[in-house]
Amino acid sequence: MSLRPPLAALALVLAAGAAATLTAAASAAAEGSVRDEYRGRVTATSGLLLRDRPTRGSRIVGTAPYGSIVHIFCKTGGDEVNGNDRWYLLTDGTWAWGSAFYIDNIGPSPRWC
C-alpha cells in the first residue's frame, strides 16, 4: 500500500487552507486601507452635524469639530446643502453621514457607495 496519495491529498488540503488564510488577510488589509485612504477636514465653523442618513432632516447622531480630520468610507447623493448634493459616510467611532459641502478632501476623492 502506497502512502503517497493520502500525503498528496493532505498537502493539497493544507495548501488550500493556506491560500484561503492569505486571501482573508489580504481582504482585511484592503478594507483597512480603504478606510485610511479617504480623509477630509471639517470646515463647518460651528462643527459638522453627523446624521443617520444623507438628508438634512434626518436624526443627528453626533458632531465633528471644526478643523478635525474625518475618515470617509464612501460618497453618495442626497439632500443639497448650499448647492452640493454629495454626502460622505464617515467611519469615526460611529457610521454617520456628513455633508460634503463642509468637508475638504485630503487626498483622493472618495469612492461611490
Side-chain angles (χ1 to χ4, degrees):
M1 177 180 243
S2 172
L3 293 180
R4 288 187 190 259
L7 289 177
L10 178 60
L12 182 60
V13 168
L14 291 175
T21 300
L22 289 173
T23 301
S27 198
E31 184 176 320
S33 68
V34 167
R35 180 192 187 280
D36 294 335
E37 182 177 352
Y38 307 121
R39 297 180 305 137
R41 184 178 312 277
V42 174
T43 61
T45 55
S46 59
L48 175 65
L49 297 177
L50 304 177
R51 300 186 177 273
D52 66 351
R53 288 179 300 177
T55 61
R56 296 176 71 167
S58 62
R59 186 172 60 94
I60 298 170
V61 296
T63 59
Y66 172 79
S68 63
I69 304 296
V70 292
H71 293 92
I72 305 166
F73 185 72
C74 62
K75 67 183 173 186
T76 192
D79 285 354
E80 282 193 11
V81 176
N82 296 325
N84 185 336
D85 72 344
R86 299 288 182 258
W87 287 73
Y88 293 151
L89 180 56
L90 307 178
T91 61
D92 298 294
T94 183
W95 291 71
W97 294 95
S99 170
F101 180 81
Y102 294 111
I103 302 172
D104 283 344
N105 291 333
I106 299 171
S109 178
R111 67 183 177 92
W112 289 95
C113 296

